[in-house]
Structure formats: C-alpha cells, structure tokens
Amino acid sequence: AFLLMLAINAAANILPLNGLHTGEISAMFSNFFVPAGYTFSIWIVLYILQAWWILFCLRIAFQKKDDLPSAGLITLLMPYFSLACMLNAFWIMAWHFLQISLSLIVMVLLLLVLITIYIQLRALTVPPEGWISWFIPVVFVAYLAWICVATIANVAALLIKIKADHLFSNEPLWSVLMMGVALMLSGWMGGSRREPVFAFVLCWAFLGIYHGQHDKSPMVAYFAMGASVLSGVIGVYSGINKIFRYFRTDYQQ
C-alpha cells in the first residue's frame, strides 16, 4: 500500500496524470489560503517518516527476540496505516481528474483514519520503551497536522469550484477565518495535548501562506505570519514541557 501510494504520487507529477501537475490544479482554484510552492516539500519529510515506520515494522517482524509491545503496536496500527496509504493514493486520482467533491470526501476519510491512529496511540497501556515511544507518534502526528491543513484547503477549493460567491464574497476574510481554525487546532494539540510536532507543522503551513499571499493581501499575510510565530512558540513551549515531564517522571521512577 505504501509503495502504491508513492508510485501514484510520483506518476501524478512525472507523467502527469490527466495532463495536469498537482500544483497546476491548485492554481485553477486559487484562493487566499494557498501557500507558496515550497511549502509542499513537507511531503518529502512525511514520506521519509512513513518509510521509517515501514522499516521499523519489518525489523520487529523478522528479528529473533520478541518485542511484544512493539509487535502489538504494529498489529494495532498497520490496518489503519494501510488504509491511509490507499486513501492518499485515491485522493491523488480524484484530484487530478478534477473530481473535487470526491477528493474532499476522500480527504475527510483520510483525516478520520489518522485521528483514529492518534487515539489508538494515546490509549496505549504498554507502549514501546525508549526513543521509539517518542518517535512513532511523530510519524503520525506530523501526518495528521498536515492533513488538517490540507482538508481546510480542499474545502476552499471546492467552494471556488462551485462558485459559492455568496459565501466567498470576501476571500481574504475567509482565509483569515480558516487560518484561525487551524491556529486553534495548533493551540489545542500543541498546548493542551502536548504535541509540539503538530504546532511546528502548522507553523510551516502558516509561513507558506504568508509567502504565497503577501503580494495579494496584506491582511492575510500579516495574520499568517503572526499565526506562524505563535504556532512556533506553542511548539517550543510544548516540546520543553514534554521533555521536562519525561525526565521528572524518569527521576521519580
């Protein structure tokens, strides 16, 4: 499933599928929430993290000694991860063939699968020990954060496609409102849930929106920059707090 996802994503821009590159389709539904092109390089990081997860699963599967917590975690998450890969690939197909409504449905399903993975990780009673217990959530929290942003962007693209002028009459204001929703997610996940990676991913997204929109709307650009700084601060605070709690717990034990 992972290799199929990579192949379809590569074909989408190498062939490209339906004669359109992914970025060209975004430009067709241009709005004030679209970030600068470089922002999408985060997919390289996300795919590297997921490749690491695959290699970790293979190592646990074929090693001689038993690692029951890690094996249990893989058994728990692998069906959801496989489904997420298939949904990602299906989204690319729907997007490139301009089925924007279908692509939003697929994106929401992918978001729900990643939320389920996150809930399962948080509910673990016997997590793997050591740095693995830190790194595995990074793989899925980073993915979840970016898909939250992508879902909002997909909604904006659909509104543009159906020409919802009565809803989108003031596009900069709508962009600020959508960024406000994303910023609240950053505060909740990064602050209350102590997931610094989530806040850092949204910091990157806001920075991309700033560079993508600073020539079009000062209001959108300045809000995006402020949101980026605030998300970065939330991420740093959450990371320091998480490290402090880890060492304090370890000391008490």
Side-chain angles (χ1 to χ4, degrees), residues 1-179:
F2 177 69
L3 292 176
L4 176 64
M5 176 185 69
L6 290 182
I8 290 179
N9 275 271
N13 289 292
I14 294 173
L15 294 178
L17 288 177
N18 198 28
L20 295 166
H21 291 90
T22 307
E24 290 177 328
I25 302 170
S26 296
M28 291 170 60
F29 307 107
S30 179
N31 59 78
F32 288 92
F33 194 78
V34 177
Y38 73 83
T39 317
F40 297 99
S41 62
I42 194 173
W43 277 110
I44 298 173
V45 177
L46 296 177
Y47 288 147
I48 289 173
L49 289 172
Q50 291 173 57
W52 175 89
W53 160 251
I54 293 289
L55 293 174
F56 168 75
C57 293
L58 290 172
R59 183 179 69 84
I60 295 300
F62 289 100
Q63 70 180 6
K64 292 182 179 180
K65 66 175 184 177
D66 291 333
D67 185 348
L68 296 182
S70 295
L73 179 64
I74 294 168
T75 303
L76 179 68
L77 297 186
M78 192 55 74
Y80 298 109
F81 176 71
S82 300
L83 180 58
C85 290
M86 300 302 292
L87 288 170
N88 184 310
F90 191 30
W91 181 87
I92 286 289
M93 298 293 290
W95 183 256
H96 274 257
F97 286 91
L98 304 180
Q99 301 298 313
I100 308 302
S101 299
L102 178 59
S103 74
L104 179 57
I105 293 172
V106 176
M107 182 70 77
V108 171
L109 290 174
L110 175 57
L111 178 62
L112 292 174
V113 170
L114 293 174
I115 290 172
T116 302
I117 290 175
Y118 178 71
I119 291 172
Q120 297 284 4
L121 283 170
R122 295 281 295 198
L124 285 177
T125 54
V126 187
E129 296 181 357
W131 67 274
I132 294 296
S133 65
W134 278 59
F135 198 76
I136 289 177
V138 168
V139 176
F140 296 107
V141 170
Y143 197 5
L144 173 61
W146 188 252
I147 293 302
C148 285
V149 175
T151 302
I152 297 173
N154 213 150
V155 170
L158 179 60
L159 290 174
I160 295 293
K161 183 177 187 296
I162 64 177
K163 294 180 171 56
D165 296 331
H166 59 291
L167 292 175
F168 244 55
S169 58
N170 190 334
E171 290 187 41
L173 178 59
W174 270 104
S175 179
V176 167
L177 291 175
M178 289 187 289
M179 284 191 287

